[in-house]
Amino acid sequence: MSREEMTLERQLDWLYGIQRFGVRPGLERIEALLARLGHPERRFRSVLVGGTNGKGSVAASLASVLQAAGHSTGLFTSPHLTHFAERFRIDGEPVAGSELLTALEEVRPHAEAVEATFFEVVTALGCLLFARAGVNWAVMEVGLGGRLDATNTLSPELSVITNVGLDHTEILGDTLDAIAGEKAGILRPGRPAVTGVAPSLWPVLEQKGADLWALGRDFVFEVESLKLTGTALRLHWLQHDLPALTLRTPLLGAHGASNAALAAAAALRLGVGSEAVQRGLIATRWPGRLEYLEARGQGWLLDGAHNPDGAQALADTLGTLGLRPVRLVFGASADKAVTEMVQILGPVASDVVLTQARWSPRAADQAQLRPAWEAQGVPVREAASPAEALALAAAGTKQAAPIVVCGSLYLIGEVRGLLLEEGAEARERWQ
């Protein structure tokens, strides 16, 4: 390891260490931090993408489209799968370690002075890295909620809210209206916005005064074909004089098509031409979300479905692909709605191997997960680690259908590194 790499590791040790202070919603610290850094967030145009599920897929798709249109584009997402630098992509590539180190060394003293949280530091890093790279656009995935999320200190040209489900209820509220209200905080009066939320929640979003286009009212889509290699869809406009578009995306399933449609609508509202939309969508890369891989002589489908809505989307896609029942490798965070997820996934499973992400202190152990699966009548085996779970799932006769790994993005990150023999960071992951 070089001296620069060792220095970067020490800086990351500090950054990961402040995860223990948890999430503290509010904009005061991030505003102070960005001011100390000279307001890098004002040196590029931005889009905020929030929602319960699919926001990363929409953000990655939109960034790819903007890049296809000739714009230098930053993409900010969380969490990462295997390496921290994945959170900051410029024109599709993670930032270099040297650039990350320089930014961390500049941000750290200011972050310590304002007592910034982990995600606030990460947001500031993204803004600084994108400003220094001279990007034209930055597509920023919102972390938690919207109104009080660190990304909301930016002034977006356009905002996207993918959908609203019951997740993080202890912070965002225990009703869909309350959660939608928090997520609607990223909307700006008079500025364009795109959403895929249920019609019952449109009034909550419309209270913010944004120029809102809603899936199901302003535009609709239909899935034309679905394969393990991707989805083809047709996008139609109901309220606007725009031509219908045939689009292809590597995102799988009806929810993948929905996310592609939202990204396409957002791009068109930003003035991107239809040809760039088509080229950008097909070029989208979003690992670990219904991603099909072949490794160890076996097909694998990796999906970070980590809540009931995500589990339902996974189950629906498996049904559409004709892959039910499948062998599952499952691990989840203890603070998630595990029972509800298992009730949805149980009917699609032939059997399940339970494990837990090694580097996530939030991970439920196998004994916590087992009763929910047994209640569904699914044969259960346990593995002490993701590596053991992969070996156990693949042992014996090759599965005709892909083995599905799901339940936690932290688990997906570890598994993906193992299957591709790329390794992963050996650090505790809370966020």
Side-chain angles (χ1 to χ4, degrees):
M1 184 179 293
S2 69
R3 179 173 297 180
E4 180 180 87
E5 289 170 329
M6 291 175 64
T7 305
L8 177 57
E9 287 299 303
R10 288 196 296 271
Q11 292 290 349
L12 289 174
D13 286 342
W14 163 77
L15 179 56
Y16 277 74
I18 64 175
Q19 292 180 104
R20 67 184 184 276
F21 298 121
V23 176
R24 289 181 287 156
L27 301 181
E28 301 83 2
R29 292 175 301 277
I30 184 63
E31 289 173 348
L33 178 54
L34 290 171
R36 282 170 165 263
L37 295 170
H39 286 293
E41 81 282 4
R42 298 177 182 176
R43 290 160 54 188
F44 49 80
R45 303 171 77 184
S46 63
V47 174
L48 293 184
V49 182
T52 299
N53 290 308
K55 55 188 175 179
S57 298
V58 172
S61 298
L62 180 55
S64 183
V65 169
L66 288 169
Q67 185 182 345
H71 299 289
S72 178
T73 305
L75 173 63
F76 174 82
T77 58
S78 61
H80 60 276
L81 290 181
T82 55
H83 298 286
F84 181 74
E86 295 168 17
R87 295 174 183 250
F88 321 100
R89 294 184 179 269
I90 297 172
D91 295 334
E93 297 298 324
V95 297
S98 58
E99 295 168 353
L100 180 57
L101 174 58
T102 300
L104 260 170
E105 289 179 329
E106 180 170 346
V107 169
R108 179 174 175 176
H110 299 298
E112 291 176 327
V114 303
E115 299 183 342
T117 66
F118 174 85
F119 189 73
E120 289 163 353
V121 175
V122 174
T123 301
L125 281 172
C127 292
L128 187 59
L129 288 163
F130 295 156
R132 285 181 171 167
V135 303
N136 308 122
W137 284 96
V139 182
M140 309 284 289
E141 180 187 357
V142 176
L144 178 62
R147 181 176 65 93
L148 298 177
D149 185 76
T151 59
N152 202 33
T153 193
L154 278 75
S155 181
E157 303 274 333
L158 177 145
S159 302
V160 181
I161 299 177
T162 57
N163 51 48
V164 171
L166 293 174
D167 201 10
H168 300 294
T169 54
E170 72 285 358
I171 296 174
L172 303 179
D174 58 5
T175 67
L176 292 179
D177 277 16
I179 296 172
E182 289 295 317
K183 294 185 183 297
I186 67 171
L187 304 180
R188 300 293 187 265
R191 295 190 188 178
V194 175
T195 188
V197 304
S200 61
L201 298 175
W202 292 344
V204 179
L205 273 56
E206 289 169 335
Q207 291 175 10
K208 298 298 182 180
D211 181 10
L212 183 69
W213 285 13
L215 178 61
R217 182 185 67 191
D218 296 85
F219 60 102
V220 295
F221 71 90
E222 57 189 24
V223 175
E224 295 188 332
S225 68
L226 172 61
K227 302 176 182 178
L228 278 172
T229 53
T231 305
L233 62 144
R234 184 77 172 165
L235 185 61
H236 302 275
W237 305 94
L238 303 180
Q239 303 290 337
H240 311 284
D241 186 20
L242 293 169
L245 286 177
T246 296
L247 304 170
R248 296 184 182 277
T249 173
L251 304 177
L252 297 185
H255 65 298
S258 177
N259 293 332
L262 293 173
L268 291 167
R269 299 207 70 184
L270 293 175
V272 176
S274 58
E275 289 187 4
V277 171
Q278 291 169 319
R279 286 188 283 109
L281 284 181
I282 195 62
T284 301
R285 297 294 176 264
W286 191 227
R289 285 76 170 182
L290 272 173
E291 178 186 20
Y292 177 72
L293 300 174
E294 291 187 358
R296 305 183 182 186
Q298 172 68 54
W300 304 83
L301 195 60
L302 312 184
D303 191 36
H306 61 277
N307 56 34
D309 286 348
Q312 188 65 62
L314 171 58
D316 291 344
T317 302
L318 292 173
T320 303
L321 288 167
L323 296 179
R324 302 165 63 162
V326 293
R327 174 168 295 169
L328 295 181
V329 174
F330 182 84
S333 295
D335 57 351
K336 294 297 183 178
V338 172
T339 300
E340 290 86 343
M341 292 169 64
V342 174
Q343 287 172 344
I344 294 166
L345 294 173
V348 311
S350 60
D351 60 299
V352 62
V353 179
L354 302 179
T355 191
Q356 63 185 105
R358 294 178 62 208
W359 298 107
S360 173
R362 294 167 52 196
D365 63 33
Q366 297 89 311
Q368 292 174 282
L369 299 174
R370 189 177 190 107
W373 286 99
E374 290 181 335
Q376 295 297 309
V378 178
V380 175
R381 292 178 290 172
E382 297 184 10
S385 69
E388 183 181 325
L390 295 181
L392 191 59
T397 306
K398 179 181 176 181
Q399 297 289 301
I403 297 171
V404 177
V405 186
C406 61
S408 162
L409 274 172
Y410 302 119
L411 174 64
I412 296 301
E414 294 185 31
V415 163
R416 193 172 189 274
L418 290 166
L419 290 175
L420 297 179
E421 299 181 351
E422 293 179 347
E425 289 179 345
R427 296 176 181 276
E428 281 198 355
R429 303 269 310 275
W430 292 87
Q431 299 181 50

